[in-house]
């Protein structure tokens, strides 16, 4: 399996959708925090989800998830997926994206790249181990993030 991307730019500048669930029941959210590398001899991605997010429930109840990247003209749609909750609107049938099965999970037809991942690890980020400026910037009065590490089992281009 080979993948050549600008990991820093893909997550931070282009954003991505994190999707978990099955074809009958799934949710997606925009992410800009993540990474790719190797762990335990496996190609992996890491992503972070606040415990308050609706997608968190799907990440916990499913063994697979996808991280998908989109062309620049879809950034406004990703903005909606990052600011609206699936508890409040039907994001999964949002105009401009077409859901499709991707391995054991879900992605969207419009994705330029989808990483299908098998969940390997989850751990809550502990504020006791964070610098004070990070706590002030990201966590004062807000829910903590859980870190998820997934083995990349398929790359769809």
């Amino acid at each position: 399996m080979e993948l050549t991307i600008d990991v820093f730019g893909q997550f931070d500048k282009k954003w991505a959708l994190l999707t978990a669930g099955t074809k009958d029941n799934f949710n997606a959210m925009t992410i800009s925090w993540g990474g790719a590398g190797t762990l335990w001899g496996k190609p992996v991605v890491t992503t972070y989800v606040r415990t308050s997010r609706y997608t968190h429930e799907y990440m916990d109840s499913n063994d697979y998830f996808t991280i998908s990247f989109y062309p620049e003209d879809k950034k406004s749609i990703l903005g909606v997926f990052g600011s609206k909750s699936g508890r409040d609107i039907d994001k999964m049938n949002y105009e401009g994206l077409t859901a499709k099965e991707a391995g054991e999970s879900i992605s969207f037809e419009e994705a330029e790249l989808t990483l299908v991942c098998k969940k390997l690890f989850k751990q809550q980020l502990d504020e006791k181990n964070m610098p004070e400026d990070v706590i002030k910037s990201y966590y004062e009065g807000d829910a903590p993030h859980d870190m998820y590490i997934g083995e990349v089992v398929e790359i769809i281009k």
Side-chain angles (χ1 to χ4, degrees):
M1 190 173 338
E2 185 174 314
L3 178 64
T4 304
I5 61 170
D6 169 14
V7 174
F8 301 117
Q10 285 291 111
F11 281 100
D12 189 43
K13 302 293 184 239
K14 286 189 80 173
W15 305 340
L17 284 181
L18 169 66
T19 308
T22 65
K23 67 178 180 168
D24 299 321
N25 187 20
F26 63 94
N27 198 64
M29 64 178 263
T30 301
I31 59 172
S32 65
W33 290 9
T38 306
L39 179 66
W40 304 318
K42 301 171 187 284
V44 298
V45 292
T46 304
T47 191
Y48 307 85
V49 181
R50 285 193 194 275
T51 56
S52 59
R53 295 297 297 257
Y54 189 45
T55 303
H56 188 273
E57 299 170 27
Y58 287 85
M59 290 293 287
D60 280 353
S61 61
N62 289 277
D63 292 331
Y64 290 84
F65 61 91
T66 63
I67 295 178
S68 51
F69 299 95
Y70 296 81
E72 195 66 31
D73 68 342
K74 299 295 180 195
K75 198 157 186 176
S76 64
I77 294 171
L78 271 61
V80 171
F81 274 64
S83 62
K84 304 291 183 193
S85 174
R87 291 182 187 110
D88 302 326
I89 68 167
D90 183 9
K91 290 192 300 187
M92 301 318 96
N93 291 306
Y94 194 80
E95 185 176 326
L97 292 181
T98 310
K100 71 172 188 172
E101 290 183 86
E104 299 288 322
S105 192
I106 301 294
S107 185
F108 297 89
E109 293 285 344
E110 295 77 12
E112 293 178 317
L113 171 69
T114 297
L115 306 176
V116 180
C117 306
K118 182 174 192 226
K119 189 169 50 177
L120 295 176
F121 181 82
K122 171 195 166 186
Q123 182 173 348
Q124 190 164 96
L125 299 182
D126 187 346
E127 287 185 23
K128 292 182 288 191
N129 297 320
M130 295 178 194
E132 190 62 36
D133 64 318
V134 169
I135 295 168
K136 285 182 178 182
S137 294
Y138 296 99
Y139 294 102
E140 282 189 352
D142 213 339
H145 283 92
D146 279 347
M147 173 181 63
Y148 294 89
I149 300 174
E151 177 185 2
V152 178
V153 296
E154 186 178 357
I155 298 170
I156 303 169
K157 295 181 183 182

